[in-house]
Amino acid sequence: LATGPRQNNGIFYEIRTYDIKPAKMKEFLEAMNKYLHFRTAHSELVGFWYSELGAMNKVFHIWKYDNFAHRTAVRHALANDKEWQGKLISVILPLVDKQHNEVAYLVPWCQLGKPPKEGGVYEWVTFQMKPGGPALWGEAFQAAINAHINTGYTRLIGVFHTEYGLLNTVHVLWWNESPDHRAAGRHSAHEDARVVAAVRNSVRFLESQQNVLLIPLPCSPLK
């Protein structure tokens, strides 16, 4: 079953997750920071992060496309870009153990946001929901997200639901000033009756959840 409603345009986001060989993370990050401009010359990068907690030796990056024809044109141009092939791809591919990608849309009630300042940390939360899409769980899920926003301790950056990849998956990207600020906010949220009620209603539709703390690369637009 498709995940259902999405924003009223063709824009989608390709979410790429790479597992980096454990001894090669430093080399990979250095190469990305030095040469990523060859890739961003072709299409818009939303953000690029590496995992700190919740997963090890992983990087996450999100690319924005106007539509599928746009992505096809970009991939064709990249295949013919000798600088990108020679200075970036040839360097990083031997450092990568696995690659995974998904296509996702922003949910209709969310606009892609930005943090109030540079610095801080990001939290990537993946929810695997019961089959049926937003028609089944969308309202309860939105209420749970809004309950956390209303506590004021965290900043919502985006809510994405998958179109290609494992369906009924929702990725939520949050920003916090620091891991300790996030921990204190979570503690307060767990004592907030409004949050507790909203989460209890939403969790009825939840299959699993994973949280990863992310650090942005210097070359990431979202810092």
Side-chain angles (χ1 to χ4, degrees):
L1 296 175
T3 47
R6 62 193 190 210
Q7 296 205 352
N8 294 322
N9 53 49
I11 293 173
F12 67 85
Y13 300 84
E14 183 175 4
I15 301 167
R16 287 183 165 247
T17 307
Y18 294 172
D19 290 280
I20 309 303
K21 295 176 181 178
K24 300 296 184 179
M25 179 62 87
K26 183 175 183 292
E27 186 178 348
F28 179 90
L29 297 180
E30 287 176 349
M32 295 308 301
N33 280 313
K34 186 174 182 180
Y35 295 120
L36 189 63
H37 63 278
F38 290 122
R39 174 62 184 83
T40 55
H42 292 277
S43 65
E44 181 179 348
L45 173 66
V46 174
F48 205 122
W49 306 264
Y50 65 89
S51 61
E52 180 71 10
L53 296 171
M56 297 185 69
N57 301 303
K58 284 184 178 289
V59 295
F60 296 75
H61 39 126
I62 304 175
W63 300 87
K64 181 180 178 181
Y65 294 101
D66 297 334
N67 49 49
F68 288 98
H70 178 211
R71 182 184 183 276
T72 298
V74 168
R75 300 305 299 180
H76 182 268
L78 287 170
N80 292 284
D81 187 329
K82 293 182 179 179
E83 285 191 303
W84 179 75
Q85 294 279 354
K87 293 184 178 179
L88 184 58
I89 288 299
S90 63
V91 173
I92 67 169
L93 281 184
L95 315 178
V96 177
D97 190 38
K98 294 180 182 178
Q99 293 177 300
H100 176 71
N101 76 332
E102 298 170 287
V103 166
Y105 293 93
L106 282 172
V107 296
W109 42 270
C110 173
Q111 298 295 321
L112 193 63
K114 293 183 178 180
K117 59 183 179 181
E118 291 188 1
V121 295
Y122 291 79
E123 184 177 9
W124 183 255
V125 189
T126 299
F127 299 91
Q128 187 59 42
M129 309 301 291
K130 293 183 182 295
L136 176 67
W137 43 258
E139 184 176 336
F141 188 86
Q142 180 180 357
I145 294 296
N146 285 336
H148 283 88
I149 294 172
N150 293 337
T151 63
Y153 80 89
T154 187
R155 175 67 66 95
L156 179 66
I157 302 301
V159 181
F160 308 86
H161 64 95
T162 54
E163 183 77 7
Y164 288 99
L166 186 60
L167 295 185
N168 296 291
T169 300
V170 183
H171 301 291
V172 184
L173 183 62
W174 302 94
W175 177 90
N176 288 281
E177 290 184 12
S178 69
D180 286 320
H181 184 263
R182 183 261 184 196
R186 291 285 291 178
H187 181 76
S188 298
H190 291 161
E191 297 180 345
D192 188 317
R194 297 166 299 175
V195 175
V196 172
V199 169
R200 282 179 176 172
N201 188 40
S202 177
V203 78
R204 297 180 293 129
F205 307 106
L206 181 65
E207 297 280 359
S208 65
Q209 176 181 340
Q210 182 180 16
N211 293 31
V212 183
L213 187 73
L214 301 177
I215 307 298
L217 273 65
C219 61
S220 175
L222 286 177
K223 292 184 174 62

